[in-house]
Amino acid sequence: MSESIVSSKETVPRLSSLFSRAYLFGTLMLGGGIMLHAVETYITATLMPSIVRDIGGLPLFAWATTIYVAASVLGSTFVAVRPERVTLNHCYRAGALLFGIGSLVCAIAPSMETVLIGRAIQGLGAGFLVALGYAFIRHVYPEPLWSTASTLYAAAWGIATFLGPTIGGIFAAGSAWREAFALLVPLSVLMAASAPKLLPPGDGERVTTKTPFLQIVLLVAAVVVLSFASSVTAPLLRGAFAAAAVLAMLATVAIERRAEGRLLPAGTISLGSPLARVYLIMLMLLVTICSDIYIPYFLQVLHGVSPLVSGYLVALLALGWTVAAFATAGLKGRRANRVIVAGALMEALATALLVVTLARHNPASGLVLLAVATLFIFLMGFGIGMGWAHLVTHVLHLAPAGETDKASAAITTMQALGAAFGAALAGIIVNSTGLVSPGGIEGALTAARWLYALLALPAALAILLALRLPAGKGDPAG
């Protein structure tokens, strides 16, 4: 399935190559798994108000996301540390089945507690599917198509950002949230049944180590505790939870450095490692981009935009990611590294400039100010999209021998951690700077200014890290 159809003289493989006869089914399966997870994420976000109105559980509202993200970390790490006889297509089948079971539990849930159980099972399956989208790249495609495939899978998120709210809105309008979850069940079963037939086994050489159980527990604990920190109102308690999350992360690093059973590839726990820098760049860019969770709120409160319009304006961020991913897919070597640096710079500047555009009181919805703010929202996504596929390709090239599966799964772990930490840090910042107290316009203005000023800093740090990336393969002379 990996016979190359890409000419050695072809410097920029075409996207259509992924849909040729040799790769079509692999592309549909892997892209479908990521799309299933991405679309469902936005569907659930749209449906949650309807779920709460129907079965209650408002105090547990935020946990529908937190428990999903925490479970996805577990799912992605299993792909890397799975038993030796378990192939990647076995993992795909298990992930699709878990996703379907979780969707069924949500569909029949009598209470919010049951919904959370379903979300945990869904998240576990989603962690499998997203990690496999990257882990399978080297098994399904020849090396010249790795970056192009990474671009396609990154673009799936952009498409999902438009599809998810639309589908969720249709079901939410008729209070048919149960049917929305039920619809995912037969699709998941179909994907699980097709995996052994349409995907290669994916049982390449691996370094088998003990399961890094303690590191996984500490990572999940850090995500959960930081989520608590973002939601509590008492400043001292918020600080205590945040400190506990930091300690859990430091303990994870300390244990990983000496453990026989590792969560990350060998040598990664060191800034001297190029692979470590790639992971940190991914994490920093994702933390910054997650400041977008409050954009709809600020658009509505400060700029008088309707909920529906605000939802589609923030979707421009994902559109920017998709457009940039396709625009820069053909770059190689030092050119790819330069675009990673440029993208991180663009994301940092666009986020910081929301301080003077989005964080302004514009009750008449003045088009000029709103248009400029919307442009910066688009450029936030464009910045991360410029370099993401190239960062994925770096991971595949830099992974130690026998640890490519572990390195690929760690991409998904970074995504989950970036989303969780970014959302939690955003919650801590806005709740500490006036969103709730004093609240109203004044509180929203102060919170927005602090949020985008502070969360531009991780992307700025990513610039410094990206300056030291290796040239990689292809056009080393730039």
mmCIF file of all heavy atoms in Angstrom, residues 89-133:
data_model
loop_
_atom_site.group_PDB
_atom_site.id
_atom_site.type_symbol
_atom_site.label_atom_id
_atom_site.label_comp_id
_atom_site.label_asym_id
_atom_site.label_seq_id
_atom_site.Cartn_x
_atom_site.Cartn_y
_atom_site.Cartn_z
ATOM 1 N N ASN A 89 -3.861 -1.230 13.041
ATOM 2 C CA ASN A 89 -5.257 -1.348 12.584
ATOM 3 C C ASN A 89 -6.149 -1.979 13.656
ATOM 4 O O ASN A 89 -7.355 -1.717 13.698
ATOM 5 C CB ASN A 89 -5.367 -2.066 11.234
ATOM 6 C CG ASN A 89 -4.832 -3.478 11.244
ATOM 7 O OD1 ASN A 89 -4.552 -4.046 12.307
ATOM 8 N ND2 ASN A 89 -4.678 -4.060 10.063
ATOM 9 N N HIS A 90 -5.569 -2.798 14.555
ATOM 10 C CA HIS A 90 -6.338 -3.264 15.709
ATOM 11 C C HIS A 90 -6.701 -2.079 16.610
ATOM 12 O O HIS A 90 -7.817 -1.997 17.144
ATOM 13 C CB HIS A 90 -5.530 -4.278 16.519
ATOM 14 C CG HIS A 90 -5.391 -5.612 15.846
ATOM 15 N ND1 HIS A 90 -4.331 -6.465 16.081
ATOM 16 C CD2 HIS A 90 -6.175 -6.238 14.924
ATOM 17 C CE1 HIS A 90 -4.478 -7.564 15.352
ATOM 18 N NE2 HIS A 90 -5.583 -7.446 14.635
ATOM 19 N N CYS A 91 -5.751 -1.172 16.793
ATOM 20 C CA CYS A 91 -6.013 0.026 17.599
ATOM 21 C C CYS A 91 -7.102 0.876 16.960
ATOM 22 O O CYS A 91 -7.964 1.422 17.653
ATOM 23 C CB CYS A 91 -4.739 0.851 17.759
ATOM 24 S SG CYS A 91 -3.527 0.173 18.894
ATOM 25 N N TYR A 92 -7.064 0.981 15.625
ATOM 26 C CA TYR A 92 -8.077 1.781 14.934
ATOM 27 C C TYR A 92 -9.470 1.204 15.171
ATOM 28 O O TYR A 92 -10.429 1.921 15.461
ATOM 29 C CB TYR A 92 -7.774 1.832 13.432
ATOM 30 C CG TYR A 92 -8.621 2.823 12.670
ATOM 31 C CD1 TYR A 92 -8.113 4.063 12.321
ATOM 32 C CD2 TYR A 92 -9.935 2.523 12.315
ATOM 33 C CE1 TYR A 92 -8.881 4.983 11.624
ATOM 34 C CE2 TYR A 92 -10.713 3.429 11.629
ATOM 35 C CZ TYR A 92 -10.188 4.658 11.283
ATOM 36 O OH TYR A 92 -10.963 5.567 10.608
ATOM 37 N N ARG A 93 -9.566 -0.119 15.044
ATOM 38 C CA ARG A 93 -10.860 -0.774 15.263
ATOM 39 C C ARG A 93 -11.349 -0.544 16.690
ATOM 40 O O ARG A 93 -12.522 -0.231 16.912
ATOM 41 C CB ARG A 93 -10.730 -2.269 14.971
ATOM 42 C CG ARG A 93 -12.036 -3.055 15.123
ATOM 43 C CD ARG A 93 -11.900 -4.449 14.540
ATOM 44 N NE ARG A 93 -10.749 -5.158 15.096
ATOM 45 C CZ ARG A 93 -10.341 -6.346 14.673
ATOM 46 N NH1 ARG A 93 -10.956 -6.938 13.660
ATOM 47 N NH2 ARG A 93 -9.301 -6.938 15.230
ATOM 48 N N ALA A 94 -10.433 -0.680 17.662
ATOM 49 C CA ALA A 94 -10.813 -0.462 19.058
ATOM 50 C C ALA A 94 -11.238 0.988 19.296
ATOM 51 O O ALA A 94 -12.222 1.256 19.994
ATOM 52 C CB ALA A 94 -9.644 -0.819 19.985
ATOM 53 N N GLY A 95 -10.501 1.937 18.687
ATOM 54 C CA GLY A 95 -10.842 3.349 18.863
ATOM 55 C C GLY A 95 -12.204 3.684 18.299
ATOM 56 O O GLY A 95 -12.995 4.402 18.930
ATOM 57 N N ALA A 96 -12.498 3.171 17.105
ATOM 58 C CA ALA A 96 -13.805 3.433 16.495
ATOM 59 C C ALA A 96 -14.938 2.827 17.330
ATOM 60 O O ALA A 96 -15.993 3.443 17.528
ATOM 61 C CB ALA A 96 -13.838 2.884 15.072
ATOM 62 N N LEU A 97 -14.723 1.593 17.835
ATOM 63 C CA LEU A 97 -15.751 0.958 18.669
ATOM 64 C C LEU A 97 -15.966 1.730 19.969
ATOM 65 O O LEU A 97 -17.117 1.928 20.407
ATOM 66 C CB LEU A 97 -15.357 -0.488 18.968
ATOM 67 C CG LEU A 97 -15.509 -1.479 17.809
ATOM 68 C CD1 LEU A 97 -14.968 -2.846 18.200
ATOM 69 C CD2 LEU A 97 -16.978 -1.594 17.370
ATOM 70 N N LEU A 98 -14.881 2.166 20.616
ATOM 71 C CA LEU A 98 -15.013 2.946 21.847
ATOM 72 C C LEU A 98 -15.764 4.249 21.584
ATOM 73 O O LEU A 98 -16.616 4.651 22.391
ATOM 74 C CB LEU A 98 -13.626 3.252 22.422
ATOM 75 C CG LEU A 98 -12.915 2.097 23.128
ATOM 76 C CD1 LEU A 98 -11.458 2.447 23.392
ATOM 77 C CD2 LEU A 98 -13.627 1.750 24.438
ATOM 78 N N PHE A 99 -15.456 4.881 20.476
ATOM 79 C CA PHE A 99 -16.147 6.123 20.130
ATOM 80 C C PHE A 99 -17.639 5.867 19.949
ATOM 81 O O PHE A 99 -18.484 6.650 20.417
ATOM 82 C CB PHE A 99 -15.558 6.718 18.854
ATOM 83 C CG PHE A 99 -15.933 8.149 18.621
ATOM 84 C CD1 PHE A 99 -15.153 9.176 19.108
ATOM 85 C CD2 PHE A 99 -17.083 8.466 17.906
ATOM 86 C CE1 PHE A 99 -15.507 10.505 18.901
ATOM 87 C CE2 PHE A 99 -17.443 9.781 17.694
ATOM 88 C CZ PHE A 99 -16.653 10.811 18.198
ATOM 89 N N GLY A 100 -17.975 4.767 19.281
ATOM 90 C CA GLY A 100 -19.388 4.427 19.087
ATOM 91 C C GLY A 100 -20.094 4.099 20.390
ATOM 92 O O GLY A 100 -21.228 4.519 20.620
ATOM 93 N N ILE A 101 -19.421 3.349 21.279
ATOM 94 C CA ILE A 101 -20.019 3.006 22.580
ATOM 95 C C ILE A 101 -20.254 4.262 23.403
ATOM 96 O O ILE A 101 -21.319 4.443 24.012
ATOM 97 C CB ILE A 101 -19.110 2.014 23.342
ATOM 98 C CG1 ILE A 101 -19.085 0.664 22.624
ATOM 99 C CG2 ILE A 101 -19.585 1.844 24.786
ATOM 100 C CD1 ILE A 101 -18.025 -0.290 23.152
ATOM 101 N N GLY A 102 -19.259 5.155 23.411
ATOM 102 C CA GLY A 102 -19.427 6.407 24.150
ATOM 103 C C GLY A 102 -20.574 7.244 23.610
ATOM 104 O O GLY A 102 -21.340 7.848 24.373
ATOM 105 N N SER A 103 -20.706 7.289 22.289
ATOM 106 C CA SER A 103 -21.814 8.033 21.672
ATOM 107 C C SER A 103 -23.155 7.432 22.063
ATOM 108 O O SER A 103 -24.128 8.163 22.341
ATOM 109 C CB SER A 103 -21.667 8.019 20.144
ATOM 110 O OG SER A 103 -20.448 8.611 19.756
ATOM 111 N N LEU A 104 -23.236 6.096 22.110
ATOM 112 C CA LEU A 104 -24.479 5.430 22.506
ATOM 113 C C LEU A 104 -24.835 5.743 23.954
ATOM 114 O O LEU A 104 -26.006 6.014 24.272
ATOM 115 C CB LEU A 104 -24.336 3.926 22.305
ATOM 116 C CG LEU A 104 -25.560 3.069 22.669
ATOM 117 C CD1 LEU A 104 -26.758 3.463 21.810
ATOM 118 C CD2 LEU A 104 -25.246 1.582 22.494
ATOM 119 N N VAL A 105 -23.831 5.732 24.833
ATOM 120 C CA VAL A 105 -24.076 6.062 26.243
ATOM 121 C C VAL A 105 -24.609 7.487 26.368
ATOM 122 O O VAL A 105 -25.568 7.744 27.121
ATOM 123 C CB VAL A 105 -22.779 5.893 27.067
ATOM 124 C CG1 VAL A 105 -22.964 6.440 28.488
ATOM 125 C CG2 VAL A 105 -22.364 4.427 27.121
ATOM 126 N N CYS A 106 -24.028 8.421 25.625
ATOM 127 C CA CYS A 106 -24.523 9.805 25.656
ATOM 128 C C CYS A 106 -25.955 9.892 25.137
ATOM 129 O O CYS A 106 -26.781 10.647 25.665
ATOM 130 C CB CYS A 106 -23.617 10.707 24.822
ATOM 131 S SG CYS A 106 -21.979 11.003 25.532
ATOM 132 N N ALA A 107 -26.263 9.120 24.091
ATOM 133 C CA ALA A 107 -27.586 9.185 23.473
ATOM 134 C C ALA A 107 -28.696 8.724 24.414
ATOM 135 O O ALA A 107 -29.825 9.221 24.348
ATOM 136 C CB ALA A 107 -27.602 8.351 22.193
ATOM 137 N N ILE A 108 -28.395 7.771 25.302
ATOM 138 C CA ILE A 108 -29.430 7.229 26.185
ATOM 139 C C ILE A 108 -29.286 7.749 27.619
ATOM 140 O O ILE A 108 -30.000 7.291 28.513
ATOM 141 C CB ILE A 108 -29.391 5.687 26.194
ATOM 142 C CG1 ILE A 108 -28.055 5.178 26.743
ATOM 143 C CG2 ILE A 108 -29.637 5.137 24.788
ATOM 144 C CD1 ILE A 108 -27.972 3.666 26.877
ATOM 145 N N ALA A 109 -28.407 8.715 27.844
ATOM 146 C CA ALA A 109 -28.099 9.174 29.201
ATOM 147 C C ALA A 109 -29.303 9.812 29.884
ATOM 148 O O ALA A 109 -29.913 10.729 29.332
ATOM 149 C CB ALA A 109 -26.944 10.170 29.162
ATOM 150 N N PRO A 110 -29.633 9.348 31.113
ATOM 151 C CA PRO A 110 -30.729 9.968 31.862
ATOM 152 C C PRO A 110 -30.275 11.162 32.709
ATOM 153 O O PRO A 110 -31.099 11.911 33.222
ATOM 154 C CB PRO A 110 -31.201 8.827 32.776
ATOM 155 C CG PRO A 110 -29.954 8.030 33.030
ATOM 156 C CD PRO A 110 -29.136 8.120 31.780
ATOM 157 N N SER A 111 -28.968 11.335 32.861
ATOM 158 C CA SER A 111 -28.452 12.403 33.710
ATOM 159 C C SER A 111 -27.114 12.892 33.165
ATOM 160 O O SER A 111 -26.485 12.227 32.336
ATOM 161 C CB SER A 111 -28.248 11.901 35.143
ATOM 162 O OG SER A 111 -27.236 10.901 35.174
ATOM 163 N N MET A 112 -26.671 14.056 33.667
ATOM 164 C CA MET A 112 -25.404 14.606 33.213
ATOM 165 C C MET A 112 -24.241 13.699 33.623
ATOM 166 O O MET A 112 -23.247 13.581 32.890
ATOM 167 C CB MET A 112 -25.193 16.007 33.775
ATOM 168 C CG MET A 112 -23.895 16.673 33.330
ATOM 169 S SD MET A 112 -23.737 16.834 31.530
ATOM 170 C CE MET A 112 -24.856 18.201 31.242
ATOM 171 N N GLU A 113 -24.342 13.050 34.761
ATOM 172 C CA GLU A 113 -23.288 12.140 35.187
ATOM 173 C C GLU A 113 -23.071 11.019 34.160
ATOM 174 O O GLU A 113 -21.937 10.635 33.865
ATOM 175 C CB GLU A 113 -23.606 11.537 36.555
ATOM 176 C CG GLU A 113 -23.492 12.505 37.719
ATOM 177 C CD GLU A 113 -24.702 13.428 37.869
ATOM 178 O OE1 GLU A 113 -25.667 13.272 37.097
ATOM 179 O OE2 GLU A 113 -24.672 14.298 38.751
ATOM 180 N N THR A 114 -24.178 10.519 33.598
ATOM 181 C CA THR A 114 -24.077 9.478 32.578
ATOM 182 C C THR A 114 -23.491 10.033 31.286
ATOM 183 O O THR A 114 -22.714 9.354 30.594
ATOM 184 C CB THR A 114 -25.464 8.855 32.300
ATOM 185 O OG1 THR A 114 -26.065 8.484 33.534
ATOM 186 C CG2 THR A 114 -25.335 7.622 31.424
ATOM 187 N N VAL A 115 -23.853 11.273 30.950
ATOM 188 C CA VAL A 115 -23.263 11.917 29.782
ATOM 189 C C VAL A 115 -21.749 11.993 29.931
ATOM 190 O O VAL A 115 -20.999 11.736 28.983
ATOM 191 C CB VAL A 115 -23.840 13.338 29.575
ATOM 192 C CG1 VAL A 115 -23.036 14.099 28.516
ATOM 193 C CG2 VAL A 115 -25.296 13.268 29.152
ATOM 194 N N LEU A 116 -21.280 12.311 31.150
ATOM 195 C CA LEU A 116 -19.844 12.411 31.386
ATOM 196 C C LEU A 116 -19.160 11.053 31.209
ATOM 197 O O LEU A 116 -18.030 10.977 30.705
ATOM 198 C CB LEU A 116 -19.563 12.969 32.774
ATOM 199 C CG LEU A 116 -20.018 14.414 33.032
ATOM 200 C CD1 LEU A 116 -19.602 14.866 34.422
ATOM 201 C CD2 LEU A 116 -19.462 15.359 31.976
ATOM 202 N N ILE A 117 -19.825 9.986 31.618
ATOM 203 C CA ILE A 117 -19.276 8.645 31.396
ATOM 204 C C ILE A 117 -19.134 8.388 29.894
ATOM 205 O O ILE A 117 -18.105 7.892 29.412
ATOM 206 C CB ILE A 117 -20.168 7.574 32.048
ATOM 207 C CG1 ILE A 117 -20.128 7.710 33.577
ATOM 208 C CG2 ILE A 117 -19.727 6.169 31.625
ATOM 209 C CD1 ILE A 117 -21.119 6.812 34.294
ATOM 210 N N GLY A 118 -20.186 8.726 29.147
ATOM 211 C CA GLY A 118 -20.139 8.566 27.697
ATOM 212 C C GLY A 118 -19.049 9.415 27.065
ATOM 213 O O GLY A 118 -18.337 8.966 26.159
ATOM 214 N N ARG A 119 -18.888 10.641 27.557
ATOM 215 C CA ARG A 119 -17.854 11.520 27.017
ATOM 216 C C ARG A 119 -16.454 10.970 27.295
ATOM 217 O O ARG A 119 -15.540 11.105 26.473
ATOM 218 C CB ARG A 119 -17.990 12.917 27.621
ATOM 219 C CG ARG A 119 -19.196 13.685 27.120
ATOM 220 C CD ARG A 119 -19.041 14.126 25.698
ATOM 221 N NE ARG A 119 -18.098 15.233 25.589
ATOM 222 C CZ ARG A 119 -17.513 15.623 24.460
ATOM 223 N NH1 ARG A 119 -17.749 14.958 23.345
ATOM 224 N NH2 ARG A 119 -16.691 16.647 24.440
ATOM 225 N N ALA A 120 -16.280 10.345 28.464
ATOM 226 C CA ALA A 120 -14.984 9.745 28.788
ATOM 227 C C ALA A 120 -14.658 8.607 27.816
ATOM 228 O O ALA A 120 -13.530 8.497 27.312
ATOM 229 C CB ALA A 120 -14.980 9.238 30.226
ATOM 230 N N ILE A 121 -15.657 7.769 27.520
ATOM 231 C CA ILE A 121 -15.437 6.658 26.578
ATOM 232 C C ILE A 121 -15.197 7.199 25.174
ATOM 233 O O ILE A 121 -14.321 6.719 24.444
ATOM 234 C CB ILE A 121 -16.647 5.696 26.595
ATOM 235 C CG1 ILE A 121 -16.849 5.118 28.005
ATOM 236 C CG2 ILE A 121 -16.448 4.566 25.592
ATOM 237 C CD1 ILE A 121 -18.128 4.320 28.162
ATOM 238 N N GLN A 122 -15.967 8.214 24.795
ATOM 239 C CA GLN A 122 -15.747 8.863 23.494
ATOM 240 C C GLN A 122 -14.331 9.416 23.393
ATOM 241 O O GLN A 122 -13.647 9.242 22.389
ATOM 242 C CB GLN A 122 -16.728 10.031 23.322
ATOM 243 C CG GLN A 122 -18.026 9.699 22.632
ATOM 244 C CD GLN A 122 -18.772 10.973 22.285
ATOM 245 O OE1 GLN A 122 -18.700 11.974 22.995
ATOM 246 N NE2 GLN A 122 -19.502 10.944 21.189
ATOM 247 N N GLY A 123 -13.903 10.116 24.447
ATOM 248 C CA GLY A 123 -12.575 10.723 24.433
ATOM 249 C C GLY A 123 -11.478 9.686 24.305
ATOM 250 O O GLY A 123 -10.484 9.906 23.604
ATOM 251 N N LEU A 124 -11.647 8.551 24.968
ATOM 252 C CA LEU A 124 -10.670 7.475 24.867
ATOM 253 C C LEU A 124 -10.548 7.008 23.421
ATOM 254 O O LEU A 124 -9.442 6.860 22.881
ATOM 255 C CB LEU A 124 -11.091 6.322 25.776
ATOM 256 C CG LEU A 124 -10.068 5.204 26.009
ATOM 257 C CD1 LEU A 124 -8.828 5.748 26.698
ATOM 258 C CD2 LEU A 124 -10.700 4.090 26.841
ATOM 259 N N GLY A 125 -11.695 6.779 22.775
ATOM 260 C CA GLY A 125 -11.684 6.361 21.371
ATOM 261 C C GLY A 125 -11.114 7.434 20.456
ATOM 262 O O GLY A 125 -10.358 7.140 19.529
ATOM 263 N N ALA A 126 -11.457 8.695 20.734
ATOM 264 C CA ALA A 126 -10.945 9.799 19.913
ATOM 265 C C ALA A 126 -9.434 9.895 20.014
ATOM 266 O O ALA A 126 -8.748 10.188 19.025
ATOM 267 C CB ALA A 126 -11.592 11.111 20.340
ATOM 268 N N GLY A 127 -8.889 9.651 21.220
ATOM 269 C CA GLY A 127 -7.438 9.663 21.380
ATOM 270 C C GLY A 127 -6.772 8.633 20.494
ATOM 271 O O GLY A 127 -5.729 8.886 19.882
ATOM 272 N N PHE A 128 -7.374 7.452 20.396
ATOM 273 C CA PHE A 128 -6.871 6.412 19.487
ATOM 274 C C PHE A 128 -6.867 6.930 18.043
ATOM 275 O O PHE A 128 -5.851 6.854 17.343
ATOM 276 C CB PHE A 128 -7.788 5.182 19.540
ATOM 277 C CG PHE A 128 -7.504 4.224 20.666
ATOM 278 C CD1 PHE A 128 -7.545 4.627 21.985
ATOM 279 C CD2 PHE A 128 -7.198 2.900 20.407
ATOM 280 C CE1 PHE A 128 -7.303 3.748 23.015
ATOM 281 C CE2 PHE A 128 -6.950 2.004 21.429
ATOM 282 C CZ PHE A 128 -7.001 2.422 22.741
ATOM 283 N N LEU A 129 -8.029 7.421 17.596
ATOM 284 C CA LEU A 129 -8.205 7.759 16.186
ATOM 285 C C LEU A 129 -7.295 8.893 15.741
ATOM 286 O O LEU A 129 -6.717 8.852 14.652
ATOM 287 C CB LEU A 129 -9.670 8.120 15.919
ATOM 288 C CG LEU A 129 -10.680 6.977 16.093
ATOM 289 C CD1 LEU A 129 -12.101 7.494 15.914
ATOM 290 C CD2 LEU A 129 -10.395 5.839 15.126
ATOM 291 N N VAL A 130 -7.167 9.927 16.571
ATOM 292 C CA VAL A 130 -6.336 11.066 16.176
ATOM 293 C C VAL A 130 -4.861 10.689 16.188
ATOM 294 O O VAL A 130 -4.105 11.051 15.283
ATOM 295 C CB VAL A 130 -6.606 12.275 17.089
ATOM 296 C CG1 VAL A 130 -5.704 13.435 16.708
ATOM 297 C CG2 VAL A 130 -8.066 12.698 16.990
ATOM 298 N N ALA A 131 -4.429 9.946 17.209
ATOM 299 C CA ALA A 131 -3.036 9.497 17.247
ATOM 300 C C ALA A 131 -2.721 8.629 16.034
ATOM 301 O O ALA A 131 -1.634 8.731 15.436
ATOM 302 C CB ALA A 131 -2.767 8.721 18.533
ATOM 303 N N LEU A 132 -3.660 7.781 15.643
ATOM 304 C CA LEU A 132 -3.434 6.888 14.506
ATOM 305 C C LEU A 132 -3.387 7.650 13.190
ATOM 306 O O LEU A 132 -2.724 7.219 12.236
ATOM 307 C CB LEU A 132 -4.528 5.823 14.464
ATOM 308 C CG LEU A 132 -4.440 4.784 15.597
ATOM 309 C CD1 LEU A 132 -5.732 3.990 15.683
ATOM 310 C CD2 LEU A 132 -3.257 3.855 15.378
ATOM 311 N N GLY A 133 -4.083 8.786 13.120
ATOM 312 C CA GLY A 133 -4.017 9.598 11.910
ATOM 313 C C GLY A 133 -2.589 9.989 11.580
ATOM 314 O O GLY A 133 -2.193 10.052 10.408
#
